Amino acid sequence: MQNVTLKMSPQQIKKMEEHYQPYQREKTPAYSVFQAKKDQVTVTAYQTGKVVFQGREAEEEAGIWGKVLPAEKTDSQLAGLPHDFQQWSVLGSDEVGNGSYFGPLVVGAAYVSRENLPLIKELGVKDSKSLTDGQIRSIAQDVKVSIPYKLLVVQPQKYNQIQPQMTQNKMKALLHNQALGFVLKEVSPEEPEAILIDQFEPRESYLKHIKESPVPVTQNLYFATKGESAHPAVAAASILARDQFLQEMDRLSEQAGMKLPGGANALVDETAAEILLQPYLDLGHFAKLHFSNTQKAQKIAQKRKNRN
Ligand code: MN
């Protein structure tokens, strides 16, 4: 039995948690953030930043993260961009909602030309993680009237139909590609100097995933794991996608008659159980059912029924 340990940043662990969400175990060891069992490998992430891979294919599984996200490579990937990249005209893309049980998957693409760079900074576009929901909503309104963009929304119902036939990464790749294609067409004949995708999988996997698309966008394609800080176009795409996600969550919450929380935590399980107990509500209309939250919610709902 192999045993491989990686040291990861909190951001990387968050990404891993999203990646392994469908395989997560209900019971986790003390001081762990999550534990997942995928095929032959058990992955345990600890609050200290240590991630342990155990099992027959531990080395291969750890290799995904070792290659994509180790601290040294992340820097070199960012450094791998041309030194004046921040000044380029760039079409950027990012997605929101893939780690949230409730709500849709939203992919945004936005084009920031060299001329629009000062304006977009003036509007307060920056890493959306440093902005409040209120700020995101207000900045998004300004961005929408300032630059070309495209938003694609996959509602849970649709997501649940597609998900059994393709991995989340493939779905994301096809959506990024489609959103980028839309904006390229819109700004044509002008051509961005680069296309930058906030990286969620290795370049080779992305290219393989979009091969089947009718119009694969591959020219001047760059990837960065911290795309939002690599160019304002990705930050803008991220803000627009998050704004859309928030709007959809408001709408779904209203339909459900209860506030639907983001993320995939215990509060989410409780809320999903509430929905299951309402005979007129269909959980698949609100949530991504392949998450392990579904089983947890079913257990909670069953207990409540038995009690009554
Ligand atoms: Mn992203």
Side-chain angles (χ1 to χ4, degrees), residues 270-297:
E270 288 290 330
T271 312
E274 281 300 315
I275 291 178
L276 285 172
L277 290 167
Q278 301 290 328
Y280 302 109
L281 294 178
D282 170 19
L283 185 58
H285 180 77
F286 303 99
K288 305 180 186 78
L289 295 178
H290 70 116
F291 282 42
S292 56
N293 302 85
T294 302
Q295 283 77 41
K296 294 179 198 165

Side-chain angles (χ1 to χ4, degrees), residues 15 94-95 129 198-200 228:
K15 281 209 174 183
D94 195 9
E95 81 283 332
K129 285 169 201 85
D198 188 47
Q199 187 155 26
F200 57 89
E228 295 189 340

Side-chain angles (χ1 to χ4, degrees), residues 67-131:
K67 263 179 211 147
V68 189
L69 294 169
E72 328 86 70
K73 289 257 171 106
T74 304
D75 284 341
S76 77
Q77 268 168 348
L78 272 179
L81 297 170
H83 77 278
D84 60 343
F85 192 81
Q86 298 246 345
Q87 308 306 318
W88 287 23
S89 63
V90 170
L91 168 57
S93 63
D94 195 9
E95 81 283 332
V96 172
N98 57 305
S100 179
Y101 181 61
F102 288 116
L105 173 62
V106 181
V107 172
Y111 176 53
V112 180
S113 63
R114 281 179 184 256
E115 306 81 71
N116 277 335
L117 274 167
L119 167 68
I120 217 73
K121 279 177 195 156
E122 188 61 35
L123 295 179
V125 170
K126 56 183 167 188
D127 191 340
S128 70
K129 285 169 201 85
S130 67
L131 298 168

